[in-house]
Structure formats: C-alpha cells, structure tokens
Amino acid sequence: MSRLIVFVFIPLLLIAMPSQAGEPRLIGSYQDWDAYVFTENDNKVCYMAARPKKGEGEYKRRGDAFAMITHRPADGTKDVFSYITGYTYKPGSEVTLQIDNQTFKLFTQDETAWALDSETDSKIASALRNGSKMTVSGISSRNTKTKDHFGLSGSGKAYDKITQECGK
C-alpha cells in the first residue's frame, strides 16, 4: 500500500501544490495507515494516508481513493482531513463520513472532500485515532453512489508519528 500511495497519490499532490515541493518520504507504516513527510517551500508537511479496504458502487471506472490527515505547521494548520475519491463528485453534493457512531458532513470540490472548519477537522482526527471503522459515502457527477470502508488499525500510531515529525 505504501508504494501505491507514493506512486499514485503523490503526483496528484504535487500538481496541486505550489512549486518547490520535495519528494514524500515514508516515515512509518502502521497496519492500515502510512505516515509521510515532505518539504514544501522549505517547510515541513506531514500526513497520514490510507486506502479503502472495500468499495461499494455501480461504477465502471474509478481512480484510487485515499483518506488523509495533514499537518502544515508553517501555515498553522493541523488535523486537516481530506478525502480523494477517485472520481468527480456531483457538484454541490455532500459526503458522509462515519467513524464508529459519529457522523460528519464534508463539502466537495472536483475529486476531493473536506471538513467545513478546523473544529470539525479536530473532531474527525480524534475519532479516527480512537475508532475502529470508518466509511465514506458520496455521489459522483454521474449520480453513482459509492461507499468506501476503511480499517483504522494503526491510525493512532500514524497520527502520533506525523505529530511528532511536524512538532505539533
């Protein structure tokens, strides 16, 4: 899984980032989750990422999906949850993120979903670190409903690693 994230996700991340981004370096693998660090404009960025264990939906073609939590100390941000779904979301649609018995609504743009604010990001990060299962449900621009299932084993250790690495 680690290599897949590096070779599939990272090119997408680099396209979306400002110039002068360094190559991500794996700093730990923890069961379902991997932890990475890279340098962007001379500043450290740390993130943890996982792929779904199972996906549901009546789609013919879909790219890779990833759930991530990112710390950007130079920007004063931490615990930023994002979900790259592998297809374009239906414009104006919401994504439902469920971690155990907690439900969060995410807004969408193109192939990515985010929490509405930093308070929700922090709640998601806490639930993810301490939870046992996570599902992400969305709808594509072609009205295809999807539901992705994640394991959360190792999420606490991956979170601790990126927090230690980025000094948060």
Side-chain angles (χ1 to χ4, degrees), residues 1-147:
M1 179 170 88
S2 303
R3 288 190 176 128
L4 186 58
I5 289 174
V6 170
F7 293 115
V8 175
F9 167 68
I10 298 313
L12 293 173
L13 183 64
L14 294 176
I15 289 168
M17 289 189 305
S19 62
Q20 299 181 355
E23 287 291 318
R25 178 174 52 91
L26 178 69
I27 55 175
S29 289
Y30 306 95
Q31 295 168 308
D32 297 328
W33 291 79
D34 293 320
Y36 296 89
V37 64
F38 67 94
T39 303
E40 175 183 78
N41 296 325
D42 296 324
N43 297 307
K44 235 183 221 191
V45 177
C46 301
Y47 69 95
M48 56 187 272
R51 292 181 40 114
K53 289 182 166 275
K54 177 184 170 190
E56 298 175 29
E58 298 288 326
Y59 46 84
K60 292 180 182 176
R61 187 178 59 198
R62 182 179 178 190
D64 292 318
F66 300 93
M68 294 175 290
I69 291 182
T70 304
H71 296 332
R72 291 177 182 272
D75 294 343
T77 64
K78 66 174 189 166
D79 295 343
V80 176
F81 180 84
S82 59
Y83 190 68
I84 296 174
T85 195
Y87 61 75
T88 301
Y89 283 113
K90 182 177 183 174
S93 66
E94 285 187 328
V95 165
T96 301
L97 170 66
Q98 180 140 10
I99 302 172
D100 295 333
N101 62 352
Q102 297 181 62
T103 301
F104 304 93
K105 294 292 183 185
L106 309 176
F107 75 93
T108 63
Q109 182 178 0
D110 301 324
E111 291 189 4
T112 308
W114 293 275
L116 292 172
D117 53 43
S118 60
E119 182 180 332
T120 305
D121 276 329
S122 293
K123 288 178 183 177
I124 291 170
S126 178
L128 195 144
R129 287 190 325 262
N130 298 304
S132 61
K133 62 182 178 175
M134 178 173 86
T135 59
V136 182
S137 302
I139 187 164
S140 77
S141 59
R142 296 181 180 194
N143 287 319
T144 302
K145 293 180 182 178
T146 61
K147 188 172 190 177

Side-chain angles (χ1 to χ4, degrees), residues 27 30 37 44 46 71 73 157-168:
I27 55 175
Y30 306 95
V37 64
K44 235 183 221 191
C46 301
H71 296 332
K157 288 182 180 179
Y159 182 86
D160 291 345
K161 186 67 175 178
I162 67 171
T163 301
Q164 174 191 4
E165 184 71 26
C166 270
K168 291 307 259 173

